[in-house]
Amino acid sequence: MKKIFPLIVVLITLSVVGILFIQMSWINNALKLKNEEFLRGVDNTLTQTKKVLQEKFIFKMHSNAVDEESRLFFLKNNFRIDGIFTREEVADVIEKQLLQNNIKEPHEFYISNIFKLAVLQSDGFQMADLSTAKSIELAPDNALRSHDTLYLSVYEDKNAIIREMLWMIIASIVFTTIIILAFFVTVRTLFNQKKLSEIKSDFINNMTHELKTPLATISLAIDALTNEKVIHDTDKIKVYSSMIKEENKRMNKQVEKILQAARLEKEEIKLNLQALDTHQVISKVADNFALQVQEKHGVLELKLNATDPNIQADEVHFSNIIFNLLDNALKYSDKTPHITVETFKHGNGILSIKVKDNGIGMDKETQTRIFEKFYRAHTGNLHNVKGFGLGLSYVKAIVDAHGGKIKVESTPGKGSTFTLTLPGA
Ligand code: ADP
């Protein structure tokens, strides 16, 4: 799959370019053919006009030559335009022959004699066109008497040919565009599918890891509890059972995170809005969190300065988002954690809550993507920080549902600050 995918993209791109090239050369060829057909038509007109004028000459002169040879002999000796044909007669013959060759473009003609002097000419004939006009000698070859030459200028309208082919050109542009668009959509869908399947297997890996560790600990603790020596030692029983309880809590937390995400997927955010003292909730979450911070010898500082900390919010979801932000602040830290939670009330009633850490921070590209579901950045030398990439997408969904906003400012290596702004009560 890994190699086939780029190969397919390359092959399809080459095919589309090839089709484009073939179409362009095909249209070009068609234009050339049309032009050649036109030039052939003019040539035919000249030879046919010559023939008709010769026939007419024989008829006009009441010649009694019947067979081919005597007619040719008669024409060689006598054929001429001057004094025999009128301008209108010649014009009429040319016009008819042009129409027979399907040429409707405007045209002018000119007939000169052996001394290059004008014998007959149409009104609009420009002498400047003489060199480009197609010509034919009207008398048979080696004629003794005349060297009358017919010059014919047909003003070909190149745009007319293009106009005639316009629907073909438009149709091929439209179909090619459709093919390119369809190709683009297919490639994008394939890419998305690929990304999705990678995300899915990442997620399954993470989830199994996250659930396996507590399960293994629980299993070991239970083994220990059934041990003869431990069964009579109440202190040890307490240690092991609290271990089981802790691991159970951890597992519950993970399962809850996945459920939160599943609920968001179905857009089932039902908020139980009530007047909430945010300071109280933040302090409660911070208390529960204190132990984990202590374990890492860190500091969790609260600067709850908002004059009126009340907002309309759902207590459970609000606690969860504060917890998620603190959890990340602690998780993504490679030195002694210093986390600050700060609140501020703006004049317009909006409440800001800032969660600031001195952790690993993130680059600009990561900052734009962390609120996407399942997105996890590479955390450099911070290995083994586990997660599902769901926490912040949940935070954003809940903040949005409360009509608030969340933004992040971060410097790699220095730390990050998440700012929530929520409408006041
Ligand atoms: P998880 O923590 O489960 O991976 P989140 O949605 O909570 O998922 O976070 C998404 C990503 O955002 C994390 O993988 C991490 O790379 C980055 N991130 C979140 N919070 C912080 C933080 N405080 N400092 C640095 N990176 C963070």
Side-chain angles (χ1 to χ4, degrees):
M1 175 70 194
K2 252 186 191 165
K3 276 183 190 151
I4 283 180
F5 184 65
L7 188 72
I8 289 177
V9 173
V10 170
L11 285 180
I12 298 182
T13 313
L14 282 178
S15 307
V16 170
V17 172
I19 287 173
L20 271 178
F21 180 76
I22 288 171
Q23 270 193 347
M24 263 156 50
S25 67
W26 178 76
I27 288 174
N28 199 26
N29 260 353
L31 282 173
K32 237 193 245 163
L33 279 180
K34 281 257 173 205
N35 196 38
E36 275 168 16
E37 190 186 305
F38 173 81
L39 292 178
R40 229 184 356 258
V42 176
D43 279 343
N44 285 345
T45 302
L46 285 174
T47 37
Q48 282 156 5
T49 304
K50 170 176 175 172
K51 219 163 137 198
V52 174
L53 287 177
Q54 287 181 355
E55 291 295 324
K56 279 190 188 276
F57 182 79
I58 291 173
F59 180 75
K60 275 180 187 255
M61 301 307 281
H62 308 289
S63 157
N64 48 11
V66 248
D67 61 299
E68 199 57 35
E69 209 174 316
S70 49
R71 284 162 79 95
L72 193 62
F73 181 76
F74 176 75
L75 285 170
K76 269 188 184 174
N77 286 307
N78 301 294
F79 185 83
R80 62 194 180 278
I81 292 288
D82 202 14
I84 308 292
F85 292 98
T86 64
R87 188 172 72 161
E88 284 67 30
E89 267 176 314
V90 176
D92 191 52
V93 173
I94 293 174
E95 177 91 34
K96 275 199 185 111
Q97 295 313 314
L98 280 172
L99 280 179
Q100 261 183 27
N101 285 288
N102 219 359
I103 298 174
K104 298 180 187 88
E105 277 82 355
H107 61 273
E108 301 292 343
F109 72 90
Y110 175 88
I111 298 174
S112 65
N113 62 14
I114 191 166
F115 307 110
K116 302 269 177 233
L117 295 173
V119 178
L120 286 179
Q121 76 179 93
S122 60
D123 282 342
F125 191 86
Q126 305 284 329
M127 287 313 279
D129 290 343
L130 205 59
S131 55
T132 51
K134 289 247 171 195
S135 63
I136 192 165
E137 200 163 306
L138 293 172
D141 294 344
N142 310 321
L144 304 173
R145 188 188 169 96
S146 115
H147 287 285
D148 291 346
T149 307
L150 167 65
Y151 293 86
L152 181 60
S153 271
V154 184
Y155 302 102
E156 186 190 9
D157 183 1
K158 292 242 188 235
N159 289 340
I161 299 178
I162 293 178
R163 263 201 306 278
E164 211 176 287
M165 290 183 61
L166 198 62
W167 67 268
M168 263 198 279
I169 296 172
I170 289 178
S172 54
I173 289 174
V174 168
F175 290 134
T176 316
T177 316
I178 290 175
I179 290 177
I180 291 173
L181 280 181
F183 170 53
F184 178 72
V185 171
T186 316
V187 169
R188 214 182 47 183
T189 318
L190 271 174
F191 263 118
N192 285 346
Q193 293 281 359
K194 200 168 154 245
K195 218 166 82 185
L196 216 71
S197 85
E198 277 168 13
I199 285 172
K200 208 169 93 185
S201 53
D202 264 6
F203 173 72
I204 291 171
N205 280 345
N206 274 341
M207 192 173 68
T208 13
H209 179 93
E210 291 280 293
L211 297 180
K212 238 167 94 182
T213 322
L215 276 176
T217 320
I218 290 173
S219 162
L220 285 176
I222 289 174
D223 281 350
L225 278 176
T226 50
N227 186 311
E228 271 303 314
K229 276 185 218 155
V230 177
I231 245 171
H232 305 292
D233 186 339
T234 21
D235 281 347
K236 281 207 169 139
I237 289 182
K238 267 188 199 155
V239 170
Y240 286 124
S241 47
S242 76
M243 214 183 217
I244 292 174
K245 181 118 192 99
E246 269 312 304
E247 291 304 307
N248 207 317
K249 248 181 33 206
R250 201 169 120 191
M251 249 163 58
N252 242 332
K253 219 170 76 184
Q254 309 296 2
V255 172
E256 188 50 40
K257 260 194 187 167
I258 298 167
L259 286 181
Q260 275 175 2
R263 251 179 259 139
L264 288 186
E265 186 99 300
K266 289 198 213 150
E267 291 188 30
E268 272 182 16
I269 315 178
K270 284 200 192 85
L271 296 181
N272 180 16
L273 291 181
Q274 61 188 88
L276 202 69
D277 181 345
T278 49
H279 285 177
Q280 218 176 21
V281 179
I282 294 170
S283 303
K284 212 165 111 189
V285 177
D287 281 348
N288 288 337
F289 212 71
L291 212 70
Q292 290 182 48
V293 182
Q294 265 172 31
E295 259 174 33
K296 286 195 168 183
H297 311 290
V299 185
L300 173 57
E301 196 181 343
L302 299 185
K303 291 185 182 167
L304 307 178
N305 300 328
T307 43
D308 171 14
N310 288 333
I311 58 166
Q312 284 288 324
D314 181 304
E315 187 173 356
V316 178
H317 285 307
F318 184 75
S319 312
N320 284 344
I321 61 178
I322 299 295
F323 179 85
N324 282 356
L325 291 176
L326 290 181
D327 195 33
N328 280 349
L330 194 65
K331 252 185 0 186
Y332 299 107
S333 157
D334 54 354
K335 31 190 167 313
T336 317
H338 187 133
I339 306 168
T340 317
V341 183
E342 203 176 333
T343 63
F344 182 79
K345 188 84 175 183
H346 297 266
N348 51 8
I350 285 178
L351 178 76
S352 291
I353 303 170
K354 274 184 199 287
V355 178
K356 193 172 162 200
D357 65 57
N358 61 340
I360 57 171
M362 50 196 134
D363 57 28
K364 283 267 174 287
E365 138 98 12
T366 308
Q367 288 173 43
T368 57
R369 301 199 54 195
I370 49 172
F371 298 108
E372 284 172 26
K373 196 178 274 181
F374 296 115
Y375 179 79
R376 302 203 70 224
H378 296 286
T379 42
N381 51 7
L382 247 196
H383 299 295
N384 235 358
V385 182
K386 283 288 164 185
F388 301 130
L390 293 172
L392 288 180
S393 73
Y394 167 78
V395 172
K396 174 144 177 47
I398 297 298
V399 172
D400 285 348
H402 280 86
K405 284 201 173 79
I406 180 161
K407 66 168 189 187
V408 61
E409 289 153 291
S410 186
T411 317
K414 289 240 166 84
S416 317
T417 305
F418 285 85
T419 309
L420 304 182
T421 43
L422 292 158

